[in-house]
């Protein structure tokens, strides 16, 4: 074979594709996300608001309180799922000519939505108000206060998602907002075994939720009228509620401090809201970067930053 043949053959070979590297700005954003997602801060925030070590308070919660937290958490997650899925456009099929018309009508906002408006500050203000009621009247208001504060948090999470370029008119985008309640459910003292959802790592939790999230998204994307009792939605809601309940118990423990009162209850709810807003920002930053660079490149960079933090 001649040199010219080698040259011609070599000229036709595709150039090797280098590994996509994150820009400096995106790497800095990822670093901030890793710090939020891998180093839980809620317990410290709640302890500061309550004025007492949270781990000591949490251990004193009686069984009836724990049961009430579980029931209220499940109800709150069912409500959050309804709100999230209500934003999805529906598809109408016209059988006469076999064409499918996508009715992407303007989202009809409820009176509550119009009242609340938007912005992190407004969401925190309303969360503080609901927390003040909880602090003033105690556990009796949990069944009412938790769904309200959860809906407020979901509104704020959705706004953050849009800012990070998430398409909330897709089932995956809408359910990713609900997923934040599980991602923000990490505690620094988890020791349970036997469930993937007790893993503390961000990608471990996402992996544990991946199957049920995909099933719920497929169901939501194919139905004009959603049945909230559908098995796919029930499984997804149950997984989110199981993890969200961990931090709700911490919140209730903080609000149970006898001297706390309405003012302290407001401070606890504000800390609760801030925690999930930070988690949402971090989560949707990772998703934005995955859309830009691909999941593998972002995961590799994430692990490097995680190791730099000294997190196992």
């Amino acid at each position: 074979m001649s040199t010219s043949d080698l040259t011609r053959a070599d000229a036709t070979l595709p150039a090797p594709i280098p590994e996509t590297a994150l820009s400096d700005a995106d790497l800095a954003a990822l670093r901030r996300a890793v710090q939020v997602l891998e180093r839980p801060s809620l317990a410290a925030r709640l302890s500061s608001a309550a004025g007492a070590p949270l781990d000591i308070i949490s251990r004193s919660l009686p069984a009836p309180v724990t049961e009430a937290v579980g029931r209220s958490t499940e109800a709150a997650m069912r409500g959050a799922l309804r709100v999230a899925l209500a934003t999805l456009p529906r598809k109408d099929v016209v059988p006469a000519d076999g064409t499918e018309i996508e009715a992407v009508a303007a989202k009809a906002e409820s009176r509550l939505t119009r009242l609340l408006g938007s912005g992190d500050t407004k969401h925190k203000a309303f969360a503080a108000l609901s927390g003040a009621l909880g602090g003033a009247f105690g556990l009796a208001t949990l069944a009412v206060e938790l769904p309200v504060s959860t809906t407020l948090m979901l509104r704020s999470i959705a706004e953050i998602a849009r800012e990070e370029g998430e398409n909330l008119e897709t089932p995956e985008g809408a359910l990713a907002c609900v997923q934040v309640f599980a991602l923000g459910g990490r505690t620094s003292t988890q020791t349970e075994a036997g469930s993937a959802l007790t893993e503390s790592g961000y990608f471990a939790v996402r992996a544990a939720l991946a199957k049920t999230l995909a099933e719920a998204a497929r169901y939501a994307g194919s139905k004009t009228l959603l049945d909230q009792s559908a098995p796919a939605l029930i499984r997804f809601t149950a997984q989110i509620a199981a993890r969200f309940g961990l931090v709700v118990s911490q919140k209730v423990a903080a609000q149970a401090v006898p001297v706390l009162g309405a003012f302290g209850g407001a401070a606890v709810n504000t800390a609760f809201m801030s925690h999930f807003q930070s988690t949402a920002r971090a989560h949707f930053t990772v998703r934005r970067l995955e859309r830009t660079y691909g999941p593998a490149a972002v995961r590799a960079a994430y692990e490097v930053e995680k190791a730099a933090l000294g997190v196992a």
Side-chain angles (χ1 to χ4, degrees):
M1 185 180 292
S2 67
T3 305
S4 60
D5 290 334
L6 288 173
T7 302
R8 286 195 298 270
D10 188 55
T12 61
L13 291 175
I17 301 175
E19 183 179 347
T20 304
L22 277 64
S23 69
D24 290 343
D26 286 338
L27 189 59
L30 180 64
R31 185 174 298 118
R32 290 191 296 270
V34 173
Q35 290 172 345
V36 170
L37 295 169
E38 299 297 339
R39 283 187 168 172
S41 61
L42 181 60
R45 287 179 174 179
L46 294 180
S47 294
S48 176
L54 194 63
D55 56 345
I56 297 176
I57 305 170
S58 299
R59 288 196 292 268
S60 65
L61 289 180
V65 173
T66 303
E67 293 171 3
V69 167
R71 290 192 300 270
S72 298
T73 300
E74 290 178 7
M77 283 300 96
R78 288 194 296 269
L81 186 65
R82 281 195 297 271
V83 171
L85 296 180
T87 67
L88 298 179
R90 293 284 161 236
K91 296 181 179 180
D92 297 328
V93 177
V94 182
D97 57 2
T99 61
E100 184 177 285
I101 301 175
E102 290 197 17
V104 188
K107 297 172 188 174
E109 292 188 320
S110 66
R111 290 186 179 88
L112 178 62
T113 298
R114 290 196 297 269
L115 172 65
L116 295 178
S118 62
D120 286 357
T121 303
K122 286 186 179 179
H123 291 132
K124 287 177 182 176
F126 279 97
L129 178 60
S130 65
L133 294 175
F137 298 102
L139 185 64
T141 64
L142 181 65
V144 175
E145 184 268 324
L146 184 61
V148 170
S149 60
T150 300
T151 300
L152 290 169
M153 286 191 289
L154 183 63
R155 288 271 300 151
S156 183
I157 289 167
E159 190 167 309
I160 290 168
R162 288 192 194 96
E163 291 172 3
E164 294 294 337
E166 197 75 32
N167 183 2
L168 300 186
E169 291 190 358
T170 65
E172 293 81 3
L175 293 177
C177 292
V178 182
Q179 187 183 32
V180 170
F181 292 107
L183 299 171
R186 178 186 175 189
T187 70
S188 58
T189 58
Q190 286 179 1
T191 57
E192 300 175 61
S195 170
L197 281 182
T198 61
E199 296 292 334
S200 60
Y202 167 70
F203 280 104
V205 178
R206 278 184 62 175
L209 292 169
K211 182 179 179 180
T212 52
L213 189 151
E215 290 174 349
R218 281 196 298 270
Y219 177 83
S222 63
K223 300 295 181 181
T224 300
L225 296 175
L226 293 177
D227 179 6
Q228 300 299 321
S229 63
L233 299 184
I234 289 176
R235 284 193 294 271
F236 179 70
T237 305
Q239 273 196 304
I240 301 294
R243 193 169 177 88
F244 184 50
L246 296 172
V247 291
V248 172
S249 294
Q250 290 186 329
K251 172 181 175 292
V252 170
Q255 288 178 313
V257 177
V259 298
L260 203 57
F263 179 79
V268 166
N269 248 29
T270 301
F272 200 59
M273 169 71 85
S274 296
H275 171 73
F276 281 96
Q277 286 175 334
S278 298
T279 301
R281 179 69 66 188
H283 175 49
F284 287 108
T285 292
V286 173
R287 285 177 62 89
R288 171 175 61 80
L289 296 176
E290 286 176 339
R291 290 191 296 272
T292 302
Y293 299 98
V298 174
R299 176 68 182 269
Y302 187 102
E303 294 300 335
V304 170
E305 295 299 330
K306 180 179 175 180
L309 284 178
V311 178

